[in-house]
Amino acid sequence: MRLLSLIAVIPLLFLFATGEVGAHAFLDHAEPRVGNKVAAPPREVTLWFTQKLEPAFSSITVTNAAGERVDTGKARVSGTQMSVSLRPAGSGTYHVNWRVLSVDTHTTNGNFTFQVGQ
Amino acid sequence: MDFGAADNGAMIATRAIHFAATAIVTGTLVFPAVVANPALKSQEAAAKLFRMQTRYVAWISLAATVISGLAWVLLLTMSLSDESLGEAITSGALRDVLSLTQFGSVSQVRLALAILLAFCLAFERSAFWRWLGLGAAVGLTASIAWTGHAASTPHTLGYVHLTADVLHLCAAAAWIGGVVSLVLLLAAIAKIPASPGATLVYDAARRFSTLGMLSVAFLVLSGIVNAWILVGSVRGLFVTEYGQLLILKLVIFALMLAFAAVNRFWLTPRLALRSGKTEQPEALRQLARNGTIEIALGLAIFAVVGVLGTQHPAIHLVQ
C-alpha cells in the first residue's frame, strides 16, 4: 500500500508540467548601453548574455525613430556575445529587439532603446 | 523581457522518461560488471536467469531511450519553429536543429552511441562487446550533460559545470540502474530454490553497497557544485521555483538514502546469519521491497529533474 502511494506521487510530480517553461539566456549588458544616450550613431550594437548562444537561432533587429530597419541583417554570435552592424541613420530613439536560443535550448526575447544625438 | 513558449507537459515527461531509461540501461550494464558477475561466479542457474532478466530490461530501456530521445528532438523543433510535427519535418526546421545547434549534434552522437549499444547487447557473449557496451552506455548517460544547463554555462566555469554534471549523471545511473538490477537479482534467486540465496545476496549486497556509497559521494559532491553554479545562495533555494524543486529533489534523495542505509546496515548483516534462521527470508523480502521503493523514489527524482531543466536557474533570478 505504501509502495502504491509512493508510485502515485510520480504522476503528481508531472503536474508541475503545467508551469511556465523558462528560458535561460538573460541580457547581461549591451553597447550602446540600455536606455543610454550616445553622441553619434553607433556602427554596431553588441549584446552580452548570461549564457552561450546558438548562432542559427539568435537574431537582433534595430529600428530608428521612424520605425525603419537600420541593422544590416545577420547577427554575429560568438559565445555569449551577439552583434549586428548598423547603417548610418541619424539621431533619435533606436529600438533594439532581440531573440536568442541558449545552448541549453531555451529561447528568450526582449527589447530596449537608446538615444542618438540631441 | 518575456520567454518563449513550449509544449511544457510533453517536453517534461519526455525528458523524465529519457533520463530514467538512460540511467536504467546504463546501471544494468554497470551492475553485472561490478557486482553480479563476481557474486554469481559459482551460481550458473541464478546467473543465467539474472542475465536474461537484465538483458530484457536493458533492451526495453534502450528502446525507451531512443524513442524519448527522438521525441525530445521533435518537440524542441516544433517549439523553436512554432510548427506542427509534419511541418517541422518537411520545412527544414528539423534539419536546422540537427545540423546547426549543439543539441542537434549531441543528439546525433547519442543516437550513434545507442545504436552501438544495441549491437553490444546483441553480441554480449563476448567480453569485448560487453565492455564496449558498458563504455557506450556510460557515454550515452554522460553526454546528456551537453544538452542541459551545463552546456550553456560560459567561460572556465562551464568546464567545471560540465564535469560535475557528467559525474552526477553517471553516479545517478549507477545507483538507480544498480538498484533495478539488485531487485532483479533478488527475484532470480527467489525463483531458484536450490541456490544459496541469502549468502549470495549477502555477497552481492555488500559489493553493491560499495558501488552505492561511491555513487552517493559523487552525487553529493557534484550536486553541491551544480547548486553553487545554478542556485548560488540559500535565499535562491527558498524563494525561486527552481530552488523549491531542488529542495523537493533533495527530500526524495534523503528518503532514498534512508532506505539504502536500512538495506546496508540493518538488512544485509542479517543475511550473514546462520542459514535456517527465520531472519534470512524476511531480510530478503524486505530488501526486495525497499529496493522497489528506492526505484519509485528514483523515478520521482527523474520527474523533478525533467522539470528542473526547463526552469530558470535560481541564480539568474536572485541577486
Side-chain angles (χ1 to χ4, degrees):
Chain A
M1 200 56 209
R2 271 185 296 171
L3 178 60
L4 284 175
S5 311
L6 281 166
I7 291 169
V9 167
I10 296 169
L12 288 178
L13 288 166
F14 280 101
L15 291 179
F16 284 108
T18 54
E20 178 194 41
V21 162
H24 302 167
F26 283 70
L27 180 63
D28 187 64
H29 64 284
E31 186 60 46
R33 282 180 285 176
V34 175
N36 251 31
K37 185 183 277 187
V38 292
R43 290 185 174 178
E44 67 174 23
V45 172
T46 303
L47 282 65
W48 285 266
F49 291 86
T50 54
Q51 299 204 289
K52 287 193 274 186
L53 308 177
E54 289 288 4
F57 290 88
S58 301
S59 61
I60 315 175
T61 58
V62 184
T63 52
N64 64 10
E68 298 157 341
R69 285 276 296 266
V70 295
D71 61 84
T72 54
K74 188 151 178 63
R76 300 179 299 280
V77 174
S78 173
T80 60
Q81 184 181 332
M82 178 164 69
S83 304
V84 68
S85 299
L86 302 185
R87 287 189 289 272
S91 55
T93 302
Y94 282 55
H95 295 262
V96 180
N97 288 287
W98 53 265
R99 179 180 172 84
V100 296
L101 176 69
S102 56
V103 172
D104 60 6
T105 69
H106 298 281
T107 50
T108 323
N109 55 71
N111 58 76
F112 65 90
T113 61
F114 63 89
Q115 306 282 329
V116 175
Q118 298 167 0
Chain B
M1 192 188 298
D2 65 301
F3 308 106
D7 296 327
N8 302 355
M11 181 64 96
I12 289 167
T14 301
R15 285 165 48 89
I17 291 167
H18 189 76
F19 298 151
T22 311
I24 291 171
V25 73
T26 303
T28 53
L29 293 181
V30 171
F31 188 88
V34 180
V35 178
N37 291 345
L40 291 171
K41 250 178 193 165
S42 57
Q43 301 300 323
E44 196 43 47
K48 198 175 168 188
L49 183 58
F50 171 72
R51 271 200 295 272
M52 194 184 77
Q53 287 179 334
T54 46
R55 194 187 303 165
Y56 187 61
V57 170
W59 274 113
I60 291 174
S61 305
L62 182 58
T65 301
V66 171
I67 292 166
S68 58
L70 294 172
W72 190 356
V73 172
L74 290 172
L75 284 169
L76 178 71
T77 305
M78 289 161 66
S79 164
L80 289 176
S81 63
D82 205 17
E83 292 172 338
S84 67
L85 178 61
E87 289 168 346
I89 293 169
T90 54
S91 69
L94 179 62
R95 184 197 59 221
D96 287 349
V97 167
L98 285 173
S99 60
L100 299 176
T101 67
Q102 180 171 305
F103 177 83
S105 305
V106 173
S107 295
Q108 291 182 65
V109 170
R110 297 188 69 239
L111 179 61
L113 285 170
I115 292 168
L116 174 62
L117 181 49
F119 274 104
C120 294
L121 285 175
F123 298 105
E124 70 164 1
R125 280 176 188 81
S126 141
F128 168 78
W129 286 105
R130 278 200 300 273
W131 284 106
L132 188 61
L134 181 59
V138 170
L140 192 61
T141 293
S143 54
I144 292 175
W146 277 265
T147 66
H149 287 136
S152 62
T153 301
H155 315 304
T156 312
L157 193 60
Y159 296 111
V160 176
H161 198 176
L162 274 172
T163 305
D165 226 24
V166 164
L167 292 175
H168 203 73
L169 287 158
C170 291
W175 189 12
I176 305 289
V179 177
V180 170
S181 301
L182 185 65
V183 171
L184 290 175
L185 181 66
L186 288 165
I189 286 165
K191 282 181 186 163
I192 298 183
S195 71
T199 315
L200 204 151
V201 174
Y202 175 70
D203 188 19
R206 278 173 56 88
R207 288 172 192 276
F208 179 63
S209 72
T210 308
L211 176 68
M213 282 192 271
L214 268 175
S215 299
V216 169
F218 276 111
L219 279 172
V220 171
L221 290 174
S222 55
I224 289 170
V225 173
N226 284 348
W228 167 61
I229 294 170
L230 294 172
V231 180
S233 67
V234 176
R235 187 165 172 264
L237 202 56
F238 289 100
V239 302
T240 65
E241 213 169 312
Y242 186 93
Q244 288 157 6
L245 278 166
L246 189 55
I247 290 173
L248 176 63
K249 186 185 168 196
L250 290 173
V251 168
I252 303 171
F253 177 70
L255 278 172
M256 285 185 73
L257 269 185
F259 278 103
V262 168
N263 290 349
R264 174 64 186 90
F265 299 111
W266 175 248
L267 297 176
T268 303
R270 290 170 74 188
L271 297 173
L273 295 174
R274 206 155 36 85
S275 62
K277 293 262 187 188
T278 53
E279 285 93 336
Q280 279 189 349
E282 181 57 24
L284 282 173
R285 262 195 304 276
Q286 287 182 8
L287 258 182
R289 185 201 61 190
N290 286 2
T292 310
I293 294 172
E294 272 187 68
I295 293 167
L297 292 169
L299 293 177
I301 286 187
F302 286 122
V304 175
V305 173
V307 186
L308 273 175
T310 65
Q311 296 289 313
H312 300 283
I315 198 157
H316 293 161
L317 302 173
V318 178
Q319 295 301 314

